[in-house]
Amino acid sequence: MKKVGLDAGHAGFNVTPGKRTPDGEYEWNFNDAVIDAAAKRLYEYENVQVVRTDDPTGRTDVSLAERVRRANAAGVDVFISAHHNANTGKWGTWTGTETYVNSPKSANPNSMKLANKVHPKVVKAYGLRDRGIKDEGFYVIKYTNMAAILVEGGYMDSSIDIKKLRDSKVLAAAGKAIADGVADYLDLKLKPVKKPVVTPSNSKQHVVEKGDTFYSIAKKYGMKVDDLTAYNARIKPTELKVGDIIHLVKFPGTDKPVPKPAPKPKPKPTKPKGPKAIGEITIVNVSKAAIIQDRPDRNASKSLGTVAKGKKMKVTGSVKGKHSDSGYWEVIHNGKLAYITGEYGKYKAY
Ligand SMILES: [Zn+2]
């Protein structure tokens, strides 16, 4: 069993002074995203255990000495600390990814070997300038007693790099790159990917028994007969034999695709044609009949016919019109709108 120490630099939630972007984002959040992805990827390898040396909740800024103590006490085989750089703390165009080993390089050959496995992958993941592998006596890589590196993924105060740091896919890729580099260094093997094996024994099927019909089988499994016959188009329903294998689900490659039922045409809403009546009038106040006018204007209208006293007409409303103090009834005559002088109609609403 190999052990990997993973360390997200600093902490979040206002417990670390500084260590933020000019917009106030915590460095720890970027570091944590990388370390978290590295841990997830490492567990895709066999015989490996991750030891996290920072507070994975980000609520405590674990001291550098404590981080080192945890790594040494757990006896991890490698130690990786993830950080993101800052230059002036104000937005600028400095850029790039760098990896640190304890100084001098010549005195830390294992750390250099680890850095050489991890750094190129991480540079590729961020897609930023390669600032190279450097040496510096940073506390966590100086006092840990195993191969140890510190990755500065990119500049938090760079208008170029911040785009990468704010992209969760980039941070996830950086974490995966660290894990894959570590796996290469430790010679870890990926776990075999288990694929579900589909065999006839676990596919859904029915073996025909004496007396079975497509209808009885469909009924037994709560299926539609049409679906069942479609899934088994290779068998004629009239030639069903005992021992035949009947597919209860669509079985790729062996049968014709199930034809989709043609969509039923939606019934069109039946709109009543022509004007809609709201009531009726009875013809009154005339000697024999009232004139049905083509417009609400006694003087300028054309006669469409007459309607006898006492007869009823359907009314759609009333209008003011011209040349009648009593206005006009808007009536339905032969399915079209027509007009009767107001005083000739006695109205009753429906
Ligand atoms: Zn840092």
Side-chain angles (χ1 to χ4, degrees):
M1 178 68 68
K2 298 288 185 185
K3 287 183 184 175
V4 178
L6 293 180
D7 182 64
H10 320 290
F13 306 98
N14 219 9
V15 296
T16 306
K19 306 297 178 187
R20 302 210 210 173
T21 69
D23 288 355
E25 300 141 290
Y26 291 101
E27 183 190 336
W28 181 84
N29 286 82
F30 303 129
N31 303 340
D32 174 61
V34 171
I35 288 301
D36 197 42
K40 284 201 176 83
R41 176 59 175 170
L42 277 169
Y43 280 122
E44 292 177 20
Y45 288 91
E46 289 179 328
N47 298 320
V48 66
Q49 188 190 337
V50 168
V51 176
R52 185 106 180 225
T53 52
D54 65 315
D55 172 9
T57 70
R59 302 223 170 234
T60 318
D61 193 346
V62 178
S63 72
L64 299 180
E66 175 60 15
R67 290 170 196 245
V68 167
R69 192 200 65 77
R70 288 178 184 179
N72 289 341
V76 299
D77 296 283
V78 294
F79 176 87
I80 297 97
S81 189
H83 285 253
H84 290 84
N85 234 330
N87 187 10
T88 64
K90 290 178 180 165
W91 294 117
T93 53
W94 30 82
T95 178
T97 302
E98 53 197 23
T99 297
Y100 284 90
V101 299
N102 186 26
S103 184
K105 289 180 182 178
S106 57
N108 297 280
N110 287 340
S111 297
M112 273 308 291
K113 198 181 156 201
L114 175 62
N116 278 314
K117 299 283 190 191
V118 171
H119 181 71
K121 288 184 167 65
V122 173
V123 169
K124 205 176 161 191
Y126 279 100
L128 296 170
R129 209 182 101 195
D130 182 357
R131 298 175 70 91
I133 297 168
K134 300 179 176 181
D135 60 339
E136 184 80 59
F138 292 132
Y139 194 97
V140 292
I141 53 174
K142 185 174 180 179
Y143 294 104
T144 40
N145 46 34
M146 70 291 302
I149 57 173
L150 186 150
V151 177
E152 294 277 9
Y155 283 84
M156 288 189 295
D157 55 358
S158 161
S159 55
I160 300 162
D161 297 8
I162 194 67
K163 289 174 187 157
K164 303 287 189 176
L165 273 56
R166 286 173 178 165
D167 186 339
S168 58
K169 282 184 196 146
V170 170
L171 298 181
K176 182 177 180 289
I178 287 174
D180 289 342
V182 165
D184 191 6
Y185 175 81
L186 292 175
D187 208 17
L188 300 177
K189 299 276 174 286
L190 279 168
K191 289 174 184 169
V193 180
K194 282 173 192 162
K195 282 181 186 169
V197 181
V198 178
T199 61
S201 63
N202 67 9
S203 66
K204 287 205 162 192
Q205 57 182 222
H206 172 83
V207 181
V208 174
E209 293 162 10
K210 203 182 172 191
D212 276 346
T213 62
F214 273 89
Y215 177 77
S216 71
I217 296 165
K219 200 178 166 191
K220 182 176 177 179
Y221 293 100
M223 297 174 66
K224 288 179 182 164
V225 179
D226 285 353
D227 287 345
L228 194 64
T229 51
Y231 299 158
N232 299 279
R234 72 196 188 286
I235 300 173
K236 281 185 184 169
T238 51
E239 293 172 8
L240 204 59
K241 293 189 301 290
V242 171
D244 278 350
I245 305 285
I246 298 297
H247 300 146
L248 304 177
V249 293
K250 197 179 159 199
F251 209 66
T254 55
D255 290 314
K256 289 174 191 168
V258 183
K260 279 187 186 169
K264 281 179 189 170
K266 280 184 185 170
K268 283 176 188 170
T270 48
K271 264 189 182 174
K273 281 177 184 174
K276 189 175 180 292
I278 59 164
E280 61 183 29
I281 52 165
T282 308
I283 301 302
V284 294
N285 298 331
V286 288
S287 53
K288 277 186 179 171
I291 292 168
I292 304 167
Q293 301 163 201
D294 69 335
R295 67 186 70 179
D297 182 342
R298 216 198 279 253
N299 295 359
S301 65
K302 212 166 72 184
S303 170
L304 300 173
T306 58
V307 53
K309 188 178 178 179
K311 290 273 182 193
K312 291 181 164 75
M313 288 197 91
K314 285 181 178 172
V315 169
T316 60
S318 61
V319 292
K320 211 173 163 200
K322 286 180 178 173
H323 307 114
S324 164
D325 294 339
S326 57
Y328 299 85
W329 294 110
E330 198 172 64
V331 298
I332 301 169
H333 174 66
N334 294 338
K336 288 178 182 169
L337 289 182
Y339 299 88
I340 303 279
T341 300
E343 60 188 287
Y344 300 154
K346 192 181 155 202
Y347 178 68
K348 193 182 153 209
Y350 282 152

